[in-house]
C-alpha cells in the first residue's frame, strides 16, 4: 500500500488538499476504494480508503488502525558537507532509509560547491522532496527534517547538547567508532562527514575542541557519500533496531 504523510493528527476521516490531493488524484491516478497507509504528525498510522474526490480534494476514511511505528530506538542525525552534483541527494535518500531523523547540510573550507542563498534554498527544497519520497518508499513513520545549509564553524558552536557527535576524519588513524559506540550511553547520535576535499586540520581541531569525537572508517579513503552510509549503518548496527536477538 502506498504511504501518505499528513501534517496534522489522524482522524476517522481525512480530506487531502493542495499538492497531496494532486499527487493522489492526478499523479497516482487513484480511484474510489483505493487504500493507503496514512501517517499522522504524531506517528499514528492507519489504513484508509478513498471515499470521494472533488476537483481539488480527496476524502479518505479510516479502515483500520495499524501498529506500525518504524522509527529506531535512537535519534540519529547526519551532518554532511556539501557535495558536487547530486551526490547529496543520494546521501539524503540513503540516510532516510537507514533511519536518520535529520540531515544537516554544511558548508566547509574544502567544499567544491558554493551555493548563494537562492541556490541553497532550491537545493534544500529538493532534498526535502527526496527525504519525503524516501520516507514513503521505505515505510518511515516520520519524514526526516532537512535543515537549512549552515557553515560548519557556526554549527559546531550550537551542537545539540544531549547528542553524542562523531566525525569521520580521514586523517584519524586509530580511534575506532565501534569502541566509542560501545562506551557511549547517549540515545542521540550525529555523524559528521566532510566534503570531497576533506576537513582542514583547523576544522578537525575546532570540532574536537567542542567535544566531537574523531574516528576512522578504516585505511581506505571512502567517497563522502559512502562514508556517510557506512557511519550511519555502523551506528544502527550497534545501537539501533537491526534485530533483537
Ligand atoms: N580529500 C580527502 C583525502 O584525500 O584525504 C578525502 C576526503 S573523503 C573523499 C570525504 C569525507 O569522507 C571525509 O572528510 C571523511 O568525513 C569521510 N571519510 C572518507 N574516508 C574515510 C576514512 N577512511 N576514515 C574516516 N573518514 C573518512
Amino acid at each position: 500500500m502506498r504511504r501518505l504523510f499528513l501534517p496534522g493528527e489522524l482522524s476517522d476521516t481525512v480530506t487531502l488538499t493542495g499538492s497531496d490531493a494532486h499527487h493522489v488524484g492526478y499523479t497516482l491516478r487513484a480511484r474510489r476504494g483505493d487504500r493507503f497507509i496514512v501517517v499522522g504528525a504524531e506517528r499514528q498510522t492507519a489504513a484508509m480508503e478513498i471515499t470521494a474526490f472533488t476537483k481539488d480534494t480527496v476524502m479518505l476514511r479510516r479502515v483500520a488502525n495499524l501498529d506500525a511505528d518504524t522509527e529506531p530506538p535512537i535519534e540519529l542525525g547526519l551532518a554532511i558537507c556539501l557535495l558536487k552534483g547530486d551526490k547529496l541527494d543520494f546521501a539524503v535518500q540513503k540516510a532516510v532509509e537507514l533511519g536518520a531523523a535529520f540531515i544537516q547540510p554544511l558548508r566547509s573550507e574544502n567544499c567544491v560547491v558554493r551555493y548563494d542563498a537562492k541556490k541553497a534554498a532550491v537545493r534544500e527544497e529538493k532534498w526535502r522532496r527526496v527525504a519525503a519520497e524516501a520516507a514513503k518508499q521505505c515505510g518511515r513513520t516520520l519524514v526526516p527534517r532537512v535543515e537549512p545549509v549552515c557553515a560548519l564553524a557556526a554549527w559546531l558552536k550550537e551542537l545539540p547538547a544531549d547528542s553524542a557527535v562523531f566525525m569521520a576524519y580521514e586523517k584519524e588513524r586509530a580511534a575506532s567508532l565501534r569502541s566509542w559506540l560501545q562506551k557511549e550511553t547517549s540515545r542521540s547520535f550525529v555523524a559528521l562527514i566532510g566534503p570531497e576535499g576533506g576537513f582542514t586540520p583547523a576544522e578537525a581541531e575546532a570540532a574536537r575542541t567542542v567535544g566531537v569525537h574523531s574516528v576512522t572508517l578504516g585505511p581506505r579513503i571512502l567517497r563522502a557519500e559512502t562514508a556517510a552510509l557506512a557511519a550511519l549503518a555502523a551506528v544502527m548496527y550497534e545501537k539501533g533496531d537491526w534485530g533483537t536477538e
Side-chain angles (χ1 to χ4, degrees):
M1 253 187 283
R2 286 183 182 271
R3 185 167 287 250
L4 297 172
F5 288 94
L6 290 184
E9 285 205 7
L10 272 190
S11 49
D12 286 342
T13 58
V14 159
T15 302
L16 303 180
T17 56
S19 58
D20 288 335
H22 187 272
H23 180 66
V24 170
Y26 292 91
T27 313
L28 300 180
R29 295 177 181 279
R31 299 274 173 265
R32 202 176 323 160
D34 284 358
R35 289 187 177 189
F36 289 81
I37 293 174
V38 183
V39 185
E42 299 297 323
R43 287 159 48 178
Q44 331 88 308
T45 308
M48 300 192 88
E49 185 176 89
I50 295 181
T51 51
F53 290 90
T54 68
K55 187 166 154 285
D56 302 317
T57 64
V58 180
M59 270 75 84
L60 299 108
R61 75 172 175 86
R62 179 160 25 200
V63 177
N65 282 325
L66 302 173
D67 182 17
D69 193 351
T70 57
E71 295 311 310
I74 53 163
E75 187 192 58
L76 177 57
L78 172 64
I80 183 164
C81 295
L82 299 175
L83 303 176
K84 283 191 281 184
D86 56 6
K87 287 181 189 159
L88 209 55
D89 298 19
F90 175 84
V92 168
Q93 184 190 63
K94 300 306 168 203
V96 171
E97 291 172 26
L98 285 164
F102 68 89
I103 294 102
Q104 171 65 70
L106 295 170
R107 270 190 319 272
S108 69
E109 283 288 315
N110 288 339
C111 281
V112 179
V113 284
R114 302 272 160 187
Y115 297 144
D116 59 20
K118 198 172 156 198
K119 179 82 177 168
V122 171
R123 299 298 297 183
E124 286 159 12
E125 272 320 298
K126 169 93 186 292
W127 297 323
R128 289 188 185 113
R129 286 198 302 276
V130 170
E133 273 313 305
K136 284 181 197 163
Q137 175 274 325
C138 73
R140 295 286 299 262
T141 29
L142 61 78
V143 178
R145 308 186 305 280
V146 176
E147 302 287 359
V149 176
C150 167
L152 172 61
W155 182 75
L156 286 173
K157 283 189 193 143
E158 310 236 320
L159 287 185
D162 55 347
S163 285
V165 186
F166 67 97
M167 162 180 61
Y169 185 35
E170 60 277 9
K171 294 198 173 65
E172 183 65 58
R173 288 292 160 260
S176 111
L177 177 55
R178 187 204 288 142
S179 57
W180 178 72
L181 285 172
Q182 285 175 346
K183 281 184 231 132
E184 184 53 64
T185 54
S186 175
R187 304 303 289 159
S188 175
F189 295 87
V190 182
L192 170 61
I193 305 294
E196 285 96 347
F199 292 110
T200 65
E203 287 172 335
E205 190 47 38
R208 286 197 201 95
T209 303
V210 294
V212 175
H213 188 75
S214 169
V215 300
T216 178
L217 298 178
R220 295 157 300 281
I221 295 295
L222 312 178
R223 288 178 188 266
E225 62 276 26
T226 314
L229 306 195
L232 296 181
V235 179
M236 278 299 164
Y237 173 78
E238 198 62 42
K239 301 283 191 183
D241 49 9
W242 289 12
T244 52
E245 290 169 13

